[in-house]
Structures are given as structure tokens and as C-alpha cells.
Amino acid sequence: MSPTDDGRSRVLRRVQISSLATCVPPRVLTNADLERMVDTSNEWILQRTGVRERHIADDDVATSDLAAEAAQGAIEQAHLTPTDIEFLVVGTTTPDTFFPSTACLVQDKIGAKGAWGFDLGAACSGFTYSLTTAVQMVAAGAHDHALAIGADVMSRIINYEDRTTCVIFGDGAGAVVVSPAVDPALRVIDFAHEVDGSGGQALRMPAGGSRLPASHETVDQRLHYVHQDGAAVFKFAVRKTGEISRRILDRNRLQASDVDLFVSHQANRRIIMAAADQLGLPEEKVVINIDRFGNTTGATIPLALADALAAGRLKKGDLVLLASVGAGFTVGAVLLRWAY
Ligand code: UT7
């Protein structure tokens, strides 16, 4: 980084994802387990959501633990040391505590001395928003190496007596290191994000914040859990995943056929496939691993990227389209050429 006289670099640099690592807790909750807990069936869950099993954190494991493990993996893979990380952002809906932020806890756990960072609240768009934020920090020349993390322990805010939500979610974390691009062609190309707060009631945790602080009543009424209008979220997610993907492709003069890999937030297999159909993307270009992890909120996209890499479906130079829709509503897309 070479700052100008006033100490600020004004040249936007090209930025790449240099590494990726994930972490899921070992314990697995299967559909058969859920059949014993609520009135549901493996067939219903598989057919309506695509989930077979999800990973669930033990009681003594919190979001920062999973996030720190993923972050350490990403730093090692990038051949960096923790003190090379100057900035970190954690997209999470389930921070360890309101404060300190999970970013502070992760910074300390991984030994990123001198770094700064914060948590970012964008629910299931936590990773696309965090990635864009970290990319902008590096592009602006403010920092050379940044960590974008998506991490959630959703099981802490799920009511395991509510069959409409407990079958969907799981726990996990993913982290990427972003750095100045080595090859300018292999970079994060563009991002598109929007929020639509008018949909806020459709997916929320009603209590625990300043609107409705924790009390005996809020606990008795189970207001510290995820509440959702599944059908409303489903319709919005299908429409906006398609729309934002189309928008980012159009403005970069790209066709859906140019995309090598479509990595959408994993909320429901049917949402992903409906959005892919709208875009005209064949199944072989779509990553789906919701069957093994469920909806891990901030972690779904890095978990899906990691699976694609491991399966040899993601290669250097591939055009990758990330897309997400989450509570808020939040909507995001990131377009990039994979750099390694
Ligand atoms: O990242 C964002 C997070 N959230 C989402 O993405 C959620 C988006 N929405 C969805 O994925 C789907 O709407 C759900 C999976 C939540 C629900 O699927 P659906 O096809 O929209 O089902 P539905 O809510 O219309 O319910 C159909 C029936 C209902 O019974 P009745 O009223 O028809 O008798 C539900 O009570 O299925 C029932 N049902 C279940 N049955 C067995 C709901 N959950 C279950 C269940 N097992 N787990």
C-alpha cells in the first residue's frame, strides 16, 4: 500500500479471495433425530427443504469458536500469519454476546494483534455483505489483508418444539482472506446489495433487543427464537435471488451461460433451484450442500464454496456468482473470478 501525502490512497485496487476455510461442529442432527423431537418426517423435510442433516454445536461452543477456527485455517492457507490480518468483519446473527462483538473475540483468539473489525448484521446475507466490506477495505488501499467471516450457531435461537423452523437450520462458520489481486483478471469483479425493511416482520427474533428486552414474559412467550412466515420468505427469496443475480450479470455484460458456478445461500433447495431456473442455469453449475448442513445463515456460502473446491467443481479462473437473501430483508450478490 502506498498512501498519498495526506496518508490516504485513492486508487482502488483489484482484490482477490486468497483462501477459504470452514468449521462445523462434529455433532450431527439427522432428520430421523428430528422425527423423534417434533411431528415431522424425513420425507417432508427432504422434499420441502432438501435438508438431510445439520451440524449442531455443543453447549460450550459459541459462534466465535467456530469463526476463529475457520479464520485460522484461512490465514494458514493464505500463507500468512495472524498479525498480517489488519481488518476482520464477522457476519453473524448469533454473536456470542451483544458486546463485545464477535469480531473482537475472534481477533483475540487468533492473535490478530493490531487488527480492527466489527460484526455485521445481515442475517443470511452475512457472508456476501462481509465479503464486500472486506473487499472494499483492501480495494481502497486501507489494508492489505482482511478476513471476511460468516458464522452462526443458529441452534441457540431455534425452538426445537417448532417444526416449521427447527428442521431448517444448522451451525457453522466460514472465512476467507482477501488481499490485493496477484493476477488482475482473477478478482472480485462486482457486488450488488439492497435491503427491504418492509419485509422485516417475515423473519425475526422478536425479543432480546431494545424494543423488547429479555424478561420472564418474553422467555415464557418464546420470543427469543426465530419466528418466520416461511411462505413470504420463500417467495421473496426466489424473486430477489434471481433479480439481483440478473442485475449484476447484466451490468457486467455477462450472460448466465458465462457463469461457471452459482453459489447461492442455502436456505431451501427449492429456492436455489427456482432461482437457477429463472436465470437459465443448469443444475451442474449450481452448488447445493444444504442436505448436509441445513441453513447455517452466515456460513452457507463459504461452506458451499469449500465443497465445490473439494469436489474439483471450482477451479482457478472460474466465473463465480454468489447470491443471498436474508432476514431484513437483505439481498446480495458478488461476482468474481476464482483466484487459485
Ligand atoms: O434464509 C432465510 C431463512 N428462511 C427461509 O429461507 C424459509 C423460506 N421458506 C421455506 O423454506 C418454506 O416455506 C418452509 C420449508 C419453511 C415451509 O415449506 P412450505 O412448503 O412453504 O410449507 P408450508 O409452510 O406451506 O406448510 C405446509 C404444511 C403445513 O400444514 P397444513 O397447514 O397444510 O396442514 C405445515 O404445518 O406443512 C406443515 N409443516 C410441516 N409438516 C411436517 C410445516 N413444517 C413441517 C414439518 N414437518 N417440519
Side-chain angles (χ1 to χ4, degrees), residues 40 44 48-49 124 163 167 228 230 233 265 267-268 270 295:
T40 191
W44 192 97
R48 307 309 293 170
T49 71
C124 294
R163 68 176 184 173
V167 300
Q228 78 169 350
V233 179
H265 167 55
N268 185 315
R270 291 184 294 141
N295 179 352

Side-chain angles (χ1 to χ4, degrees), residues 38-41 44-45 48-49 124 162-169 203 228-235 237 265-268 270-271 295 297 325-327:
V38 289
D39 179 16
T40 191
S41 67
W44 192 97
I45 302 171
R48 307 309 293 170
T49 71
C124 294
D162 174 7
R163 68 176 184 173
T164 69
T165 51
C166 73
V167 300
I168 300 172
F169 293 94
L203 182 51
Q228 78 169 350
D229 174 348
V233 179
F234 190 99
K235 280 188 210 137
H265 167 55
Q266 311 277 308
N268 185 315
R270 291 184 294 141
I271 294 176
N295 179 352
T297 302
V325 169

Side-chain angles (χ1 to χ4, degrees), residues 115-194:
W116 73 289
F118 46 80
D119 290 0
L120 185 153
C124 294
S125 295
F127 184 75
T128 53
Y129 281 35
S130 293
L131 177 60
T132 295
T133 305
V135 165
Q136 290 303 101
M137 287 292 175
V138 177
H143 300 297
D144 278 343
H145 301 292
L147 268 173
I149 302 171
D152 274 296
V153 178
M154 291 303 291
S155 58
R156 293 292 140 72
I157 58 166
I158 295 298
N159 176 1
Y160 284 94
E161 292 180 4
D162 174 7
R163 68 176 184 173
T164 69
T165 51
C166 73
V167 300
I168 300 172
F169 293 94
D171 302 337
V176 295
V177 168
V178 297
S179 318
V182 174
D183 176 343
L186 306 184
R187 67 180 205 275
V188 176
I189 299 165
D190 198 5
F191 61 87
H193 300 293
E194 60 183 69

